[in-house]
Amino acid sequence: MINVDEGKEMYELMKRLFPICRSITGDGVRKTLRILQEHIPITIVEVPTGTQVFDWEIPNEWNILDAYVMDEYGTKVIDFKENNLHVMGYSVPVNQEMSLDELQEYLYSLKKQPDAIPYITSYYKERWGFCLAHTERQRLKDGMYKVYINSELKPGSLTYGELIIPGETEEEIFLSTYICHPSMANNELSGPVLAVALAKWLLARKNKYTYRIVFIPETIGSLTYLSRNLEHMKKNIVAGFNLTCVGDDRTYSYLPSRQGNTLADKVAINVLKNHFPEFVEYTYLDRGSDERQYCSPGIDLPVASLMRTKYGQYTEYHTSLDNLDLVTQDGLQGSFTLYKDCLELLEWNEYYQIACLGEPQLGKRGLYPTLSTKESGSMVREMMNFIAYADGSNDLVDISNIIDAPAKRLIPIVEKLIENNLLLVNRGEKE
Amino acid sequence: MINVDEGKEMYELMKRLFPICRSITGDGVRKTLRILQEHIPITIVEVPTGTQVFDWEIPNEWNILDAYVMDEYGTKVIDFKENNLHVMGYSVPVNQEMSLDELQEYLYSLKKQPDAIPYITSYYKERWGFCLAHTERQRLKDGMYKVYINSELKPGSLTYGELIIPGETEEEIFLSTYICHPSMANNELSGPVLAVALAKWLLARKNKYTYRIVFIPETIGSLTYLSRNLEHMKKNIVAGFNLTCVGDDRTYSYLPSRQGNTLADKVAINVLKNHFPEFVEYTYLDRGSDERQYCSPGIDLPVASLMRTKYGQYTEYHTSLDNLDLVTQDGLQGSFTLYKDCLELLEWNEYYQIACLGEPQLGKRGLYPTLSTKESGSMVREMMNFIAYADGSNDLVDISNIIDAPAKRLIPIVEKLIENNLLLVNRGEKE
Amino acid sequence: MINVDEGKEMYELMKRLFPICRSITGDGVRKTLRILQEHIPITIVEVPTGTQVFDWEIPNEWNILDAYVMDEYGTKVIDFKENNLHVMGYSVPVNQEMSLDELQEYLYSLKKQPDAIPYITSYYKERWGFCLAHTERQRLKDGMYKVYINSELKPGSLTYGELIIPGETEEEIFLSTYICHPSMANNELSGPVLAVALAKWLLARKNKYTYRIVFIPETIGSLTYLSRNLEHMKKNIVAGFNLTCVGDDRTYSYLPSRQGNTLADKVAINVLKNHFPEFVEYTYLDRGSDERQYCSPGIDLPVASLMRTKYGQYTEYHTSLDNLDLVTQDGLQGSFTLYKDCLELLEWNEYYQIACLGEPQLGKRGLYPTLSTKESGSMVREMMNFIAYADGSNDLVDISNIIDAPAKRLIPIVEKLIENNLLLVNRGEKE
């Protein structure tokens, strides 16, 4: 039986965040961050509309109060209050009457998924539109309709959250997740609730690394965050992960950093290979979230993604079917444990060096059987293998890979050898 | 339908060159080069007999006017004028009578290819001999024969042709082909006629690279050329190709440089892999033409070969069956296009670097769809993939390989990004 | 038919050494080394009990005169004089009576190999015990037994043998074998007798390398030897082999050094691949002999093992069944030839560089056919291939691997090219 305490807590938090209408700017983001603040001490940052962030500019802030399409009989045939996916993200205000024929070009539905409301946005070109299930669309009768969107698009700010958990060193582990999607569960709310659970766990520990955890709008938010913190991040971050699509309970998957061989990649692959050898391995060509910015040329941060089913790879993705049924407590709990294993491995990962020449005499320390029989050799084999490669040039992950033993099983060996003054940490020779 | 203009022109030129009796020295080479001069401004160079070229020495010049074997009835049973392959290359003069038994040891034929006249030479040891179809040889009747070779072997010179087409930079692309074989079509005339066609195409363009195109006798000619130009060539040549066996219309093949990973190899493999994935890949151990000199230790030029069927790999090779039937207009045209693709790729190949940090906002430049739907992402995927790897450390071929897109399809993307000031050329970091 | 002169001599020597009761210290080792001195001029070294060797300490010296278990009727049911494996190695003295029940906890046998006496030791914890065939153990009847071990465990010394055969250079080839096992043939006596045969062969030759050959107790002996000679060994040894399990006539096997790519590994793999392609390839994780010390972090000597069947991989291992029937003259002879091939390759292995630019003209030196026909090219192909890669950056093993020709076949080519002043030795660029 797996422990589902964190899974349950994450799921409860997600239920609370689900109804909020988030976008890349606006009060939905603020409301979301304020709820997260009830759990962990996030700092909220506002960056004004018009601010240049690399090749981009922070757009006007968007807020929406109400929206519907009403038929001639006063019935709201599409109603934002029922599901915030009904309105195209960043829709400009509208209040007019039109025939069904005219209305059709503002409607979005999916023929192949007739029961799903699609998720559609138009951040950088002024438009309006309504999204609905294709079956509903087909039920619309000829006649006149009132279309009404009470939204506001005007200078304001982009909002993000940041939490720094100081550790023994200034070197940082970076966790990024996004908070810009309206009511969808796996992509995106699974990411923020996992980030909160990991932050709680980290806050209760003494950590070697400093942890930088950010809750940002996707793309424009990561660009904004990078443009304000790039120098510091390039100097300090040794590994990072983009937390997304971690809530269903299907097979794990891995999307590498652009370089593909960073510490984040090494750790992720080692943990997955040893504990979930059936994991799906993508290439950077399959990317699609904030690693696009974090790993772009000149930024080059060591950021990889460990996911359950990757965005774009499940049919419910970017529709109203990505809901609280798709995500489960077990799914969230499994992702929490997976990330915890990765972070623990990072914390223990060092370039270890055995403290003597030749093999140490384990016997005199009670670490080796005193009777040499044909069979006894195999018992301490793993410790001997660890020692054989603890030459100061291999880190814990390297040794785990070479001797084909899960790093998790090597950590107690490291502890025992350190206790016996047999192991040095070679921080200087670290690559 | 492929364009066969060049193919036809090449084939016509080959028909004109075919009857000439070429060897590694002599008037056949001069006559050949003078015909080529009617098409492109070749410089003809004469290097005297006795000149030391590395470990070798330029031999006496050989010329031949007539040769035959005549039976007792005055019938020429073997006649040089019917086919210049009938005489062993570099045969010394002879004029004597002998029995068929005595004659036999001067005759060369192929039992396994009884209808083919073999091509045989003896450049560095004085001999004479006649070559003939085995069926003809078997028809010879007992009796006395007059053997007559009116040839001349005396100090003269080795002749080669050279064309330099200056470009924007002093860096050079090197094209080498040979003109020392008598009447054979695929090996060798396909090479010189392709070199002429490529030279014409290059002369009509503005090129980044300077092109060095040479028409030389094989082995002794390439050694001679190298010994006179080595320092310059080692300094300037960035890629080169040895043009041979490019006239039949069978599958393409590739023979690498000795190093195997030069720019010539990279470009050749990329073009073949993307456009002719069925191509035959040889190793340098299969070498057999002038790459033997160009790639030898201490010379180390980046010279590879793109061929149709490789020398030695087709039954007609080095016999009278390697004739104008074996080579076709389409075969030549295909090779022309293949080489043109390689040279164009070389011309466009640079270490590109995206001009901003983070992904550029393609939307504001009309390069990206403004509406984000579930499908829109795939449309500009190739451009985004190119940008993701345009980090100044990958050249165009590298990016093509990484993102698995033909370089030919990336060239318009490069043009569009340069137009939009989004791409820098990193010439300094070039390897 | 293979030459079995050395095989026969090795086998005879082994027969003489077999009955001696060796251990990691004591007179058995001394007696063994004195017999070896009759064949080769070994120096015998004694290192006192209590000497610190890295993390270890040389233990008390152990000697044994007699041991038995006697039943109530005066019959010796277990008798050391019948087979020295009957007594656990390093057994302390004992002289007492006990019931069969009490005796049982001091008895060692193998249920799965009921006819074999197991080999068991307890070097670093004071114990006593008897080993016997399981069938014999089952025949023991209830009743009282006298157990008697007349052994001595007290300060003395650890004994090893060393032979240095000076060569032209100070660079060394290192051969190590062990002399600490009682009556067992493949593991271990095959090792010392092969070392003697190789030493004789080397003593009769003029060698490029200096050879360092040691006969030591396993583990504590290699640690002792290393602790006394480490600086010199790290400076001079270019390749080494641990000689063990070389006497049966089953398939060869190879266990790499820890680094896996040392000169010893290169040579071993090249020879095996070309002459015994069916050889078994282990990894360093399968180690189990003195490479554990020679290759440990900070020692890092280039030591690999070429064996017949590896220790632990044959059922007779570490039992009385590893006897003179398991080892054969042919088995020993084959291992001798294999090691001789490796040492000869090491002696010839250099970074060769062709002495001219371009291909040399082999014809004028009588090394190339003067008549160029369709077939003649293949004749000197191997020499031309050797020359093509003799660029001063590839050693003989590299070239053998690249051109896929056994190094043994290339040695005569090297000789011929050196005779013709066509080859230079590039000792400076050696890695």
Side-chain angles (χ1 to χ4, degrees), chain C residues 203-217:
Chain C
L203 284 162
R205 286 177 97 246
K206 194 163 176 289
N207 302 305
K208 179 174 79 180
Y209 288 116
T210 293
Y211 285 81
R212 176 177 298 265
I213 308 177
V214 300
F215 303 81
I216 52 169

Side-chain angles (χ1 to χ4, degrees), chain B residues 254-262 265 283-285 287 291-305, chain C residues 352-354 384-394 399 402:
Chain B
Y254 157 70
L255 187 122
S257 73
R258 189 167 71 96
Q259 299 90 323
N261 60 354
T262 70
D265 296 285
T283 77
Y284 188 67
L285 297 178
R287 73 199 178 284
E291 68 283 346
R292 291 168 59 174
Q293 314 311 328
Y294 296 136
C295 300
S296 62
I299 304 238
D300 298 318
L301 291 175
V303 173
S305 297
Chain C
Y352 293 109
Q353 181 158 16
I354 196 72
M384 297 308 287
N385 281 346
F386 175 85
I387 290 169
Y389 288 96
D391 62 3
S393 80
N394 297 312
I399 298 178
I402 294 169

